[in-house]
Amino acid sequence: MSESDEVPEPALPLTGGCCCERARFEVSAPLLGAAACYCKRCQRRTGTGFSVTALTLPGSFRITAGEELVRAYAPDDGWRKSFCSACGGHLFTSNPENEELIAVRMGAIDGEPGVRVGAHQFTRYAAPWAPPPDDGLPHFPERPGWSQVDTGA
């Protein structure tokens, strides 16, 4: 990364929310990294070719408003997808085997997140009309371990 490509430091806490602004969250520590996901579940959940999510430091995420509106879809074989039941805005995802592992939807963050996409995951399932770019970032056919993703730290 060149000096001109340096990612700005985010103002902490990071804040974010849904479309109707009734469900809100904050992240008290810098995000650990971000990945673009091309799985069929993300395609169908968003109606787009991929979704971008950033991993939080365990214990740094909290819902600050509208907790009663937050619902989750819990697939049998994946992370729980949490969204606002009033507007449908996607907020975060969490690991059902470890509730401390939470990743926020980057589009739900209000300002500068302090991270950029570091990898493309589930590329095996990419839509033919939205292939992962040849941008020099690693491509993983399935989910990588976060240790395999360059977080820029």
Side-chain angles (χ1 to χ4, degrees), residues 86-103:
C87 68
H90 295 268
L91 300 165
F92 61 95
T93 186
S94 56
N95 186 322
E97 296 172 10
N98 181 350
E99 294 293 324
E100 293 256 313
L101 290 178
I102 295 172

Side-chain angles (χ1 to χ4, degrees), residues 4 6 22 28 32 36 62 70 86 98 143:
S4 63
E6 285 186 30
R22 292 167 55 194
S28 61
L32 300 176
R62 74 182 184 101
V70 177
N98 181 350
R143 179 188 308 277

